[in-house]
Amino acid sequence: MGTNGNEEVTSLYSLSCRDRRFSKHIHDNVHGNIYLDPVPLMIKVFLEMTFCLLLMQFFLQFVDTEQFQRLRELKQLGLTHMVYPGAVHSRFEHSLGVYWLAGEAVHTVQGHQGSEINIERNDIRTVKLAGLLHDVGHGPFSHLFEREFLPRVLNGSEWSHEDMSVKMIDYIVDAHHIEIDSAILNNVKEMVLASSANASQNTVNEKRFLYDIVANGQNGIDVDKFDYIVRDSRACGLGCNFQFQRLLETMRVMGDEICYRAKDYLTVHKLFATRADLHRTVYTHAKVKAIELMVVDALTLAHGELSISASIQEPAKFWKLDDSILRQIETSDKQELKKARDLVLRIRRRDLYQFCNEFAVPKDKQEHFKDITPQDIVCSQKNGDTPLNEEDISVSIVKIDLTRGRSNPLESIKFFQDYESDYKFPMRDERISHLLPAFCQDMIVRVYSKKPELVGAVSKAFENYQLKTYGMKAQVHDTPEKKKCRV
């Protein structure tokens, strides 16, 4: 009877996985219907000495928490919507997308190689949960919070959203009494950290490839990028000719790492090239950066009154922090927030910091490049020029690469010739095309004037700096005269 009962449980579980009636579905504008699959719990009815199966909406337990729902209030692209009005999608829908693609990826390799790589049900559940929760620790305004605001108010803070995601996962489990196997929970957290500076190097002893599906610290190919590249391109009204489906459907595990067909080399390159193009045209758009610089200044001015950074180590407080903090500053009547409030109002009225000019740092200067500061610009003025103060200038240094700085990420990716081959190998660019880039990073220095009447003076000082540093004006174009003469 016991054997038959177990077989009945297994059969019912398999049916539940195939039959979408057992799942909660959400319609997504990128992937269509996303299903939050149930997870079985076996309970024993002692009176009848039989086993029963309870289908529990396991993933929904995490989604239907205030901590996960908070992701609706975090725009995926931070302040980019103020230049690209359609870019108002949230971390919430992106997280659901990564959950779905993580499941598709692990199901693909299981379907092709299930017997040889031994993927179990708990492995699938773990990878999908890591995809769902990988961004639950993000702060307001996307990466601006951790990369620009916190280092300014906390003297070079190295706080990361990945570390906070791990803390938030533990908090959600404890606060909502979610029953989850401790081994699964630990593996989920390791997967979330897989591409961060704090990724564990020695805790993964088997099935290493599973840790590269959501956040790949080995070569940068992961379903997180698959989702946001397509989702961000669509939201901004841009075309996207990168097809993640081609890589998702043909990936293969060889020697405990995910490898790709040699004929898909250009598709892999297109992943990194499309990401770099989004950074150049969307994420680091000159006007987007101007707005971000203003928001960082506003948050810094408000920090003393609002103690914005006080919650960054405490999930119980941190989950209450979201993009609405800008609205909080804008609508406050407190005199202590007047300077910050005035800056936010300038953004609303489109009285932005004025982009003066930019230059690309020469390739041979990048390795030992020293950050340019407003003081460098001020000190480059000549006698008789309109006097400037450091507070009049803002400098933005933008790095655009293929995920590995000046290194080519494709060199760390392994390929296979065909499905009959057991041999994996790296592939150098020159074997594919001489049109592929020979250098993998751009570094761009942009200078902004905080006051429109000083654009001319700031532009001139910036040109003097370039002449003094490089012996020439390295900028691509001159600052328009109409901006220089604006008063």
Side-chain angles (χ1 to χ4, degrees), residues 311-412:
S311 65
I312 63 171
Q313 302 300 338
E314 301 180 48
K317 296 179 180 178
F318 182 77
W319 75 265
K320 301 174 184 178
L321 187 63
D322 56 41
D323 290 357
S324 65
I325 191 170
L326 209 61
R327 186 69 174 162
Q328 180 183 345
I329 294 170
E330 182 182 14
T331 58
S332 173
D333 294 327
K334 291 183 178 180
Q335 185 61 29
E336 294 83 356
L337 293 176
K338 184 179 186 310
K339 289 184 177 180
R341 182 168 59 248
D342 289 346
L343 205 48
V344 176
L345 289 174
R346 281 187 62 181
I347 296 173
R348 298 295 189 201
R349 295 165 182 171
R350 217 60 178 181
D351 179 18
L352 306 179
Y353 291 171
Q354 291 295 301
F355 171 62
C356 294
N357 222 314
E358 68 180 32
F359 74 83
V361 179
K363 292 188 296 185
D364 59 335
K365 305 291 184 183
Q366 288 190 16
E367 185 174 1
H368 302 292
F369 176 79
K370 180 183 177 183
D371 284 356
I372 298 171
T373 67
Q375 183 181 31
D376 294 325
I377 308 300
V378 171
C379 293
S380 298
Q381 285 196 286
K382 296 181 178 179
N383 292 334
D385 291 343
T386 303
L388 296 170
N389 297 312
E390 292 180 38
E391 295 75 21
D392 299 327
I393 302 170
S394 195
V395 179
S396 173
I397 299 172
V398 173
K399 293 181 181 179
I400 301 171
D401 58 35
L402 301 180
T403 73
R404 289 294 180 272
R406 289 180 293 112
S407 301
N408 186 347
L410 280 83
E411 294 178 355
S412 60

Side-chain angles (χ1 to χ4, degrees), residues 76 94 224-233 275 283:
Q76 173 76 8
H94 166 63
D224 181 27
K225 291 182 183 66
F226 289 179
D227 183 83
Y228 77 65
I229 285 175
V230 177
R231 192 176 300 278
D232 295 354
S233 297
R275 174 187 174 276
Y283 310 152

